[in-house]
């Protein structure tokens, strides 16, 4: 049986100025590495301080690569329609070398419609642009002609096996499977009222497996919110404050978050996660604290408890290289 991997994810939303957010997130990732986490993932968001604090994930991960030695570093995600794919190919190639081959490249079509105008694109065309840019990116990593007889330097064929596609749809699951890429499942999956996250993600995972080429090992990452504390009272106090903040931005999203947030002591979080059947089918279980967003010291403590109490109870074992 393939060993399940443990990941940490952040949208860099600490209550601090941008520079301090970056420093705190880098410290959190280093702390996750020290406690045996296999991977760390960062989101990309343009323009909105409250939605996400990082427009340039590859720049940030280059700094993190210099402060870490083992943990794999992933983008969750690069909004590919808003990027020049040849430049993404070049930047990822350089970062993969600087990190010692630790880069994982999560890509997606993007969810914030208002960001597209600043880049000269119509958000309604995002799916078509995404498909075009992904094809160019793959061709570049493959060593193909990029026009005028130009080829990617430095070469980066390893990254062909490090692609993860984020999707909310069955069609997206089919696409990722057919390409042999990894599948990324989000805890913010849109769904109708009364439908659980597991119910809406099950057919996506099914489609992914059905279309995966024979002999290609599946790669499925599921992101879940988990805030683990030493006492139930402490966990609930910060969780309620975080959900209240989220509800002021989007009541609908806050309702989903409240239903899908795993909060409490290690035993309580383990029990809550065991009730999510999707997690039985993932190769990578990735935890974030959003939208609870407790203070930095409590994020560090939650990372410790996830690694020492929660993940082992769910069958995770640290890598022999941890």
């Amino acid at each position: 049986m393939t060993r399940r991997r443990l990941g940490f994810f952040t949208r860099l939303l600490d209550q601090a100025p941008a520079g301090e957010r970056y420093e705190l997130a880098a410290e959190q990732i280093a702390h996750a590495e020290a406690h045996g986490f296999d991977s760390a993932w960062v989101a990309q968001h343009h323009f909105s301080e409250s939605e996400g604090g990082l427009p340039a994930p590859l720049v940030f991960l280059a700094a993190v690569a210099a402060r870490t030695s083992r943990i794999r570093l992933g983008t969750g995600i690069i909004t590919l329609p808003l990027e020049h794919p040849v430049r993404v190919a070049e930047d990822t190639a350089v970062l993969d070398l600087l990190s010692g081959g630790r880069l994982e490249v999560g890509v997606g079509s993007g969810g914030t419609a208002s960001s597209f105008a600043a880049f000269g694109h119509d958000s309604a065309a995002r799916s078509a642009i995404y498909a075009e840019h992904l094809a160019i990116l793959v061709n570049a990593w493959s060593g193909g002609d990029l026009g005028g007889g130009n080829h990617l330097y430095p070469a980066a064929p390893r990254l062909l096996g490090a692609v993860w596609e984020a999707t909310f749809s069955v069609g997206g699951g089919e696409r990722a499977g057919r390409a042999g890429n990894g599948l990324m499942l989000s805890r913010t999956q849109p769904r109708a009222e009364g439908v659980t996250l597991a119910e809406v993600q099950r057919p996506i995972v099914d489609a992914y497996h059905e279309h995966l080429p024979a002999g290609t090992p599946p790669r499925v990452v599921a992101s879940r919110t988990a805030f683990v504390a030493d006492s139930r009272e402490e966990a609930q106090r910060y969780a309620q404050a975080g959900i209240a903040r989220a509800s002021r931005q989007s009541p609908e999203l806050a309702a989903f978050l409240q239903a899908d947030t795993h909060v409490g002591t290690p035993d309580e979080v383990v029990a809550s996660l065991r009730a999510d059947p999707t997690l039985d089918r993932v190769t990578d279980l990735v935890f974030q604290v959003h939208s609870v967003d407790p203070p930095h010291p409590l994020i560090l403590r939650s990372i410790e408890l996830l690694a020492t109490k929660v993940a082992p109870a769910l069958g995770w074992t640290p890598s022999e290289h941890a």
Side-chain angles (χ1 to χ4, degrees), residues 112-126:
T112 308
S114 60
S115 297
F116 280 70
F119 292 89
H121 293 303
D122 181 354
S123 66
R126 69 178 65 191

Side-chain angles (χ1 to χ4, degrees), residues 89-98 140-143 151-157 159:
E90 292 178 328
D91 287 350
T92 52
V94 171
L95 176 52
D96 194 49
L97 290 175
L98 289 174
W141 287 333
S142 301
H151 301 268
L152 182 67
Y153 177 84
L159 293 177

Side-chain angles (χ1 to χ4, degrees), residues 298-313:
L298 295 183
I299 294 175
L300 298 182
R301 181 57 176 157
S302 184
I303 287 170
E304 295 170 8
L305 292 172
L306 283 167
T308 59
K309 303 292 185 181
V310 174

